[in-house]
Amino acid sequence: MQVERVRVRDFRCYEDAEVTLGEGLTLVHGANASGKTNLLEALYFACTARSFRTSNERELVRFGAAATRVVLEGSDEDGQHEIAIGFSPGEPKRISLDGAPLERLLDAPHRPLVSVFSPDRLELIKGAPRLRRAHIDQLVAALWPARAATRRSYGEALAQRNALLQRVRAGRADAQSLRPWDLELATLGLDLAANRERATERIAERFVSHAEDLGLDGALTLSYRTRSQATDAEGLAAEFAAALPNDLARGYSTHGPHRDDLIVRRDRRDLRAYGSQGEQRVALLALLIAERDALAAERDRVPLMLLDDVMSELDVGHRGRLADALVKHGQTVVTTSELEHVPGWDADDVARVAVEPLARTTGGALTR
Ligand SMILES: Nc1ncnc2c1ncn2[C@@H]1O[C@H](COP(=O)(O)OP(=O)(O)OP(=O)(O)O)[C@@H](O)[C@H]1O
Ligand SMILES: [Mg+2]
């Protein structure tokens, strides 16, 4: 879906404002604390009904207001669409698509995919493996929606196995009773790992090439790491059986794709452990752009990219390369305190949005 407009009411520092996005690049510029990140957050909220910044959603409601409302308008091949989200702390969100109430926005067919770069998201590179697993699972779901169910089914089967493990530990069930579960878990686990490996293959080369363009030197690799050697479900089930003593000692399933990871290496060393902050930033950017390119190649659906404060730490040459990469597919919104930091900022096809304290309270359109 092409996102055309977002209207926000009582969201963070915005009382009432409306922003029109460009067809390609939109630059959101303004002084520190003017509301740039808040605007990206509002766009993300409109696309996902979540924040990328906080899990405490009451922070989203403007100080002194009781509720917030965000409305996103856009179009795709079957016409105009409108997503509206109302939120009042302590109450369920009211989500609607084209006026019809919706339980879960993430399953909605017209929802724009969205991808965020922000300082907080560095965790994806340097944080726990769980974050990268969740991320690659989201990429699988975006690339091949029909395969998204495997992740859920695996999670459910794993929870059942773990529950049974507890019963065995407590002497309330026999270890043999795990057998049938192991085969089911292995069948799902093999599928899950294969989906993740396939998704990783789709982005690995693109990642390396974008990372090099953005100045990350050395021999780079992106790979899916699994400890399993199994090539079929029986093989993985045998590995589960071999891990059983350890599982019983620890009280959870210690082996399987729920322990896998996505690894970025530079000169064979894990960037998570050895990369500098700047290198990790570039890796994150390259990863997100590689994913967008893979989606553009695989599906006709590229994510809206929201990049918060991405230019400030790159030198001029690399800023130019990033700007080139960003305008290749789809829509991108970039925040910056200085317009001049973004090469090509004054081009005719770039939309510029000036964020000013006045504009965010007058109900005025922010687009310049
Ligand atoms: N719930 C809220 N109600 C009112 N104001 C809020 C709320 N949450 C945050 N703010 C204010 O919004 C202002 C703008 O924040 P924002 O993070 O969008 O700034 P920014 O333009 O991204 O700044 P920087 O360039 O420093 O990153 C801040 O001054 C903050 O105090
Ligand atoms: Mg900011």
Side-chain angles (χ1 to χ4, degrees), residues 66-352:
T68 181
R69 185 173 159 83
V70 176
V71 179
L72 183 128
E73 290 169 26
S75 59
D76 62 13
E77 58 285 357
D78 34 78
Q80 288 293 121
H81 298 289
E82 184 185 272
I83 297 171
I85 304 176
F87 171 64
S88 181
E91 290 174 26
K93 287 179 201 117
R94 288 178 315 282
I95 305 173
S96 70
L97 174 66
D98 299 333
L102 206 66
E103 195 73 22
R104 265 174 59 90
L105 183 56
L106 293 180
D107 301 333
H110 301 290
R111 177 184 82 86
L113 296 176
V114 61
S115 172
V116 186
F117 174 92
S118 79
D120 296 339
R121 290 221 71 203
L122 270 186
E123 279 300 299
L124 186 58
I125 298 293
K126 62 181 189 188
R130 162 180 60 80
L131 301 172
R132 285 180 293 282
R133 285 193 296 269
H135 187 77
I136 195 82
D137 288 335
Q138 279 169 17
L139 178 64
V140 168
L143 283 167
W144 309 292
R147 296 188 194 165
T150 306
R151 169 72 195 86
R152 269 197 298 277
S153 308
Y154 181 82
E156 284 159 16
L158 180 66
Q160 280 169 337
R161 185 184 193 267
N162 282 338
L164 193 52
L165 214 51
Q166 294 296 345
R167 289 172 52 91
V168 175
R169 280 181 107 202
R172 285 188 282 122
D174 194 281
Q176 291 299 321
S177 59
L178 282 161
R179 281 260 165 108
W181 289 112
D182 280 2
L183 197 59
E184 188 194 330
L185 190 66
T187 306
L188 292 165
L190 212 68
D191 265 2
L192 177 61
N195 290 341
R196 290 170 173 176
E197 267 164 23
R198 229 168 278 149
T200 308
E201 276 164 26
R202 293 288 194 282
I203 57 173
E205 276 179 30
R206 294 178 165 107
F207 164 80
V208 170
S209 127
H210 282 299
E212 283 172 355
D213 275 356
L214 295 173
L216 200 58
D217 54 9
L220 296 171
T221 56
L222 172 75
S223 54
Y224 182 69
R225 186 181 67 190
T226 175
R227 290 189 182 82
S228 173
Q229 312 279 319
T231 52
D232 56 19
E234 282 73 25
L236 185 53
E239 290 178 357
F240 287 147
L244 187 58
N246 197 15
D247 295 354
L248 286 171
R250 290 171 186 253
Y252 61 87
S253 302
T254 57
H255 182 75
H258 58 286
R259 308 298 301 278
D260 291 350
D261 201 352
L262 190 68
I263 311 278
V264 179
R265 289 198 184 82
R266 176 161 161 251
D267 295 333
R268 302 227 192 113
R269 292 210 170 84
D270 191 344
L271 202 74
R272 180 186 173 200
Y274 297 105
S276 75
Q277 184 100 339
E279 289 166 344
Q280 291 174 343
R281 275 172 65 94
V282 168
L284 174 58
L285 254 180
L287 180 69
L288 300 181
I289 301 172
E291 289 168 2
R292 181 207 57 181
D293 290 357
L295 279 162
E298 195 82 16
R299 298 191 63 194
D300 241 4
R301 211 177 156 205
V302 296
L304 168 67
M305 299 207 57
L306 306 175
L307 309 185
D308 197 16
D309 208 7
V310 72
M311 293 289 174
S312 57
E313 287 179 40
L314 292 172
D315 58 40
V316 175
H318 294 129
R319 282 179 191 164
R321 296 207 189 148
L322 173 60
D324 289 345
L326 292 181
V327 294
K328 259 191 207 136
H329 306 285
Q331 290 179 289
T332 305
V333 184
V334 174
T335 68
T336 180
S337 52
E338 299 288 340
L339 265 184
E340 292 75 14
H341 282 174
V342 186
W345 65 273
D346 52 354
D348 288 343
D349 56 355
V350 172
R352 289 167 292 274

Side-chain angles (χ1 to χ4, degrees), residues 12-13 31-38 53 59 61-63:
R12 293 274 189 189
C13 59
N32 290 133
S34 57
K36 303 181 295 296
T37 304
N38 292 348
R53 259 172 148 183
E59 291 170 19
V61 180
R62 194 170 65 90
F63 303 149

